[in-house]
Amino acid sequence: MSSISVRLIAGALLFAAAGPASAAYVFNGTEVAIFNFTTGNNNNLQDGNARFYSATSPDFGTVQARVTGWSLERVQTGWNSYTTYVRDSKLAVYSGGLGIISGDDNGGADNQHTSDNEGRKDFFLFQFNAPVAFIGAGFNTYSVLGRTKDSDATIKYGFNYDQPWNCQVGACGSLNLDGKTEGYLNGLFDGTFESLGTGTSGHRLFSPEIHWGNTWLIGSSFVNRDGKIDGFKLSNLAVVPEPATSAMMISGFALLGAALRRQGRRGTALA
């Protein structure tokens, strides 16, 4: 899919606070939907579990999402040869946001209940009921295994209609990823980019270009150029449905980061 370049021009931005779950950002009369990932429980915590969320923009209706947790495991398959496989993982929720517990995370000890790239590389998979663009997200950063904090992220986007977005494990198995190769995973997406973070928790915008897809991935950096352990939870996610293209083109969403930070200051203490 081709992307639409968006000028970061200043414009009127209003923050409508009606609680984290229903908060919205208004750009010249157009509201962007915000998913809140800080509530829920871990009663059904198992590999391959899914969580369902919805966010509403009065201008474009309700957007629904299915979120699952995964990891990439590099396995030696021969002398000096390796293959990376996708493994299903546990998607957990905390007051600090969504986290992932994969097979090598020692039950989540030492802040390995985050999306991290120590050993296996963890990632969130988002399946939406309609194409959306990712605008920004809240990253709560943690020190994993006592190492320096960092929150670089790999983000992928694409379109997949082979299976229902809201499928249940056992019915269609979340795109049947468990045991597939990294190459198979990459083939599901049209593009990828890196979102560089720091050791400070906060909210940040993504690429200055708008990309569309009904299937998205956010993971601790697969590239990891600086060699630090990226460990974070996702507290919220700002998206805009595809029909909002023209509204985004005339909006000043360069100011979104400031509004996201305002929401972060309202949040609860991190878990």
Side-chain angles (χ1 to χ4, degrees), residues 131-163:
V132 300
F134 276 18
I135 306 303
F139 289 78
N140 286 322
T141 310
Y142 294 79
S143 169
V144 178
L145 299 176
R147 301 277 293 278
T148 301
K149 293 181 180 180
D150 203 10
S151 59
D152 297 343
T154 293
I155 301 175
K156 297 178 181 289
Y157 55 91
F159 289 84
N160 293 282
Y161 295 103
D162 292 340
Q163 299 181 17

Side-chain angles (χ1 to χ4, degrees), residues 47 70-72 87-90 100-108 112-114 116 118-122:
D47 288 340
W70 304 84
S71 62
L72 292 174
R87 307 299 189 194
D88 56 6
S89 301
K90 299 176 178 68
I100 296 172
I101 303 175
S102 57
D104 68 341
D105 282 343
N106 191 25
Q112 294 180 86
H113 59 300
T114 57
D116 68 80
E118 168 60 23
R120 296 187 184 185
K121 298 176 181 178
D122 301 332

Side-chain angles (χ1 to χ4, degrees), residues 25 34-38 136-138 203 234-238 260 263-264:
Y25 304 101
I34 306 293
F35 288 91
N36 173 40
F37 298 138
T38 62
H203 300 80
L234 286 180
S235 61
N236 60 44
L237 176 68
L260 284 168
Q263 183 184 13

Side-chain angles (χ1 to χ4, degrees), residues 42-126:
N42 293 317
N43 294 338
N44 186 34
L45 197 59
Q46 58 184 330
D47 288 340
N49 66 305
R51 298 180 185 274
F52 294 86
Y53 295 92
S54 64
T56 299
S57 162
D59 296 298
F60 300 101
T62 298
V63 183
Q64 296 175 297
R66 181 184 199 267
V67 189
T68 46
W70 304 84
S71 62
L72 292 174
E73 181 183 23
R74 188 169 182 257
V75 177
Q76 186 168 5
T77 54
W79 184 80
N80 202 32
S81 63
Y82 297 83
T83 302
T84 300
Y85 294 98
V86 180
R87 307 299 189 194
D88 56 6
S89 301
K90 299 176 178 68
L91 180 67
V93 62
Y94 307 92
S95 61
L98 293 176
I100 296 172
I101 303 175
S102 57
D104 68 341
D105 282 343
N106 191 25
D110 296 316
N111 286 334
Q112 294 180 86
H113 59 300
T114 57
S115 175
D116 68 80
N117 51 14
E118 168 60 23
R120 296 187 184 185
K121 298 176 181 178
D122 301 332
F123 64 90
F124 304 97
L125 183 70
F126 299 85

